[in-house]
Amino acid sequence: MNPENIEIVLVHTTHSGNIGGVARAMKNMGLTRLTLVAPLEYPAPEANWRAASAADVLETARVVSTLDEAIAECQFVVGTSARDRRIPWPLQDARGCAERVAARSVQERVAILFGREDRGLLNEELQRCNLHCHIPTHEGYSSLNLAMAVQIVAYELRMLALSDKTGLAEDVDWDTPFSTSADMARFYAHLEETLVEIGFLNPEAPRQLMPRLNRLFNRVRLDEMELNILRGILTETQKASRRSK
Ligand code: SAH
């Protein structure tokens, strides 16, 4: 496991105290890389109070305005969620998720996303992810406090670091780097554009086609070479379709 490659990303946090609580939970467990996507109020004294001796994590935190910016360079993205969503996605509990994250982090940049206090992560944000993580709470009340959710995931990573059982990823010796989130976003835009052009996707009634294709490619994960091949196929498809029109 390489904690330097593990980024905790808080999306649109409302209560700045929670940001401090997250920083503390991270430092306690040996994580230091924190990114804040458009926090409502930050910097804020409540964040510093709650961080206690983890002020350094806050000081080095990256503040960005969009999720795209936060995860652009990441090759493996995990989204945490208190609820089931419309389309099922590959799902793990905190322990299973920590195993995957620890293994990927040896060679890849990994992000773990945590959502808003009131609404969690939006569907379109969860669809950016390779894996979803649900902490199995009691059925009666599934929503944990944000910092406590981070604490649990960070603790599972800590336990793996201590046992040095960071697990070998099945693709650790892959010959080509895996695509980043930014490259995948460009690919999805190109795919959508092409599907509209050839009449396969009706923009008036898109239904769940793009989320399903997102899920497909995020599940297999494309390396850079595979992504280039598919981009090439899309470009030629567009040319052929324009010629025939
Ligand atoms: N009402 C929101 C809950 C938000 S809690 C919802 O329905 O999604 C704030 C954040 O804490 C969530 O976005 C998620 O990142 C994390 N979290 C809370 N409970 C969780 C759980 N049981 N499993 C995984 N993450 C959880």
Side-chain angles (χ1 to χ4, degrees):
M1 171 169 134
N2 180 3
E4 283 298 303
N5 277 339
I6 302 174
E7 187 96 28
I8 300 293
V9 179
L10 305 185
V11 180
H12 291 256
T13 310
T14 312
H15 301 292
S16 33
N18 277 335
I19 298 175
V22 166
R24 181 174 188 167
M26 288 172 60
K27 189 167 178 184
N28 284 147
M29 299 298 137
L31 298 176
T32 54
R33 297 174 65 100
L34 175 62
T35 296
L36 309 172
V37 179
L40 187 67
E41 208 192 335
Y42 188 81
E46 292 80 6
N48 288 78
W49 300 333
R50 285 276 302 279
S53 293
D56 52 329
V57 175
L58 291 182
E59 271 151 32
T60 56
R62 242 180 357 135
V63 182
V64 298
S65 48
T66 62
L67 178 61
D68 279 327
E69 242 179 299
I71 61 174
E73 305 295 318
C74 291
Q75 294 147 300
F76 189 68
V77 181
V78 178
T80 58
S81 175
R83 289 183 289 136
D84 285 343
R85 305 293 164 140
R86 197 135 120 235
I87 307 181
W89 219 260
L91 180 71
Q92 294 273 347
D93 61 17
R95 189 158 301 168
C97 150
E99 280 168 12
R100 300 280 296 279
V101 166
R104 301 272 183 244
S105 75
V106 175
Q107 292 184 335
E108 296 177 44
R109 304 246 336 237
V110 181
I112 312 177
L113 316 185
F114 293 86
R116 303 153 183 76
E117 288 91 337
D118 58 344
R119 299 163 61 200
L121 292 167
L122 309 178
N123 284 332
E124 54 267 35
E125 291 162 348
L126 284 163
Q127 283 160 11
R128 305 287 306 273
C129 299
N130 301 101
L131 177 70
H132 288 173
C133 169
H134 174 71
I135 299 162
T137 46
H138 189 271
E139 305 76 48
Y141 191 17
S142 70
S143 172
L144 279 97
N145 165 266
L146 172 60
M148 297 195 186
V150 173
Q151 183 76 75
I152 288 171
V153 173
Y155 169 75
E156 292 296 345
L157 285 167
R158 176 76 183 145
M159 291 305 282
L160 287 174
L162 287 178
S163 66
D164 202 28
K165 243 184 45 198
T166 55
L168 274 184
E170 59 274 18
D171 43 21
V172 135
D173 282 324
W174 211 250
D175 54 352
T176 311
F178 285 97
S179 304
T180 62
S181 187
D183 289 338
M184 288 307 293
R186 279 188 286 271
F187 166 67
Y188 290 127
H190 192 179
L191 179 61
E192 185 168 8
E193 183 188 286
T194 311
L195 294 178
V196 171
E197 252 179 77
I198 64 174
F200 189 80
L201 171 61
N202 176 2
E204 306 299 314
R207 283 179 294 179
Q208 294 292 321
L209 182 64
M210 288 317 296
R212 284 187 186 278
L213 290 172
N214 262 252
R215 182 176 69 172
L216 165 65
F217 290 109
N218 285 2
R219 196 164 78 225
V220 282
R221 301 212 301 147
L222 301 178
D223 68 30
E224 288 173 358
M225 177 100 68
E226 292 160 343
L227 186 102
N228 282 337
I229 294 170
L230 289 173
R231 290 291 297 266
I233 294 174
L234 291 177
T235 303
E236 290 308 317
T237 306
Q238 286 179 309
K239 280 192 204 155
S241 132
R242 284 167 201 173
R243 271 198 304 270
S244 76
K245 284 174 189 160

